[in-house]
Amino acid sequence: MRLYELWFLFADKPLRFSLREFGDITGLKCEPEREKVGNGSESIDATPGRMWKELFETEDEDVTVPDVLRMLERPSLPEWKRLPLALIALVDGLLVCGHKLLRVTPAYVEMLEDTRSFLQYPWGREAFVSTLSRLRPPQPSDPSKMDKSLSVMRLRLKQQSTACYGFPLALQLFAFKAIPSLLEKIPEPNKTTSFLQEPEGCDSTNALLNFEDILLVETQTEVQCCCLSYLQNRS
């Protein structure tokens, strides 16, 4: 099993979701990181440091993304805090979600001491590793315990729902790109307005696809599945 690849079948056709496809779909930087930080499977956590104490004026680690958003709503918030707080909200709240309560990651906050370096960090790789952590068996420290990891994965697959961390939206974007027939099943497939243009779209959550639609596409005899890496090489 490769660390940066996930293979699966759709309509009996193999599809690969790897770091390369993730980068092509999201446009995020996916180069090897200079240091390992954060919530990904190859990362380490840090305790609150100087930047954390200056931003949040506390050593309490129980700070969440909703807390950060409430801070950004305050007119009295010092101007220098706005960009760092907005960046940490984007990373911990969207790109590398690592907790169901959206807790802020101390290691990421400390990286904000150098905003330029923070922006250049390969968040795509960090997000990808975090995303895959829930889509494959846990990596055991002892190879002889792989059977236990597989049992954990089987239990996850039997659940009606499961928590996805990282940036799972990339999987949906990948599916629409690799399986064009899925686009025919969503309402207004050609609509390209963003949340900035229609902020009311954030007020509710609507399922773009249901399980029956996906099964219907998969059973079509002429369903087309595209290899994204192949398309990228042709362009």
Side-chain angles (χ1 to χ4, degrees), residues 16-26 174 227-229:
R16 184 187 73 172
F17 183 69
S18 72
L19 189 60
R20 179 171 182 176
E21 284 78 27
F22 186 90
D24 290 343
I25 284 289
T26 64
F174 168 80
C227 175
L228 267 61
S229 297

Side-chain angles (χ1 to χ4, degrees), residues 112-167:
L112 287 165
E113 288 197 12
D114 185 344
T115 304
R116 180 173 297 181
S117 177
F118 187 95
L119 292 172
Q120 293 300 316
Y121 188 78
W123 292 111
R125 180 176 290 260
E126 192 82 6
F128 178 78
V129 173
S130 182
T131 302
L132 254 63
S133 67
R134 295 288 296 185
L135 302 177
R136 62 181 185 180
Q139 290 294 105
S141 55
D142 183 352
S144 65
K145 297 181 179 179
M146 191 63 195
D147 285 345
K148 185 176 181 180
S149 294
L150 292 174
S151 297
V152 171
M153 191 65 193
R154 291 189 191 101
L155 288 175
R156 287 182 187 172
L157 293 173
K158 290 179 180 179
Q159 296 174 175
Q160 292 296 315
S161 61
T162 187
C164 289
Y165 299 130
F167 189 52

Side-chain angles (χ1 to χ4, degrees), residues 46-91:
T47 55
R50 186 181 68 84
M51 192 65 182
W52 181 285
K53 296 169 187 174
E54 290 185 1
L55 271 179
F56 303 120
E57 300 177 7
T58 179
E59 295 185 16
D60 185 2
E61 295 184 35
D62 193 19
V63 178
T64 66
V65 171
D67 294 332
V68 172
L69 296 178
R70 283 190 288 271
M71 290 176 66
L72 287 167
E73 291 175 354
R74 299 175 193 164
S76 60
L77 183 73
E79 195 63 30
W80 74 268
K81 290 187 178 184
R82 292 195 175 276
L83 179 58
L85 288 174
L87 290 174
I88 204 64
L90 283 172
V91 169

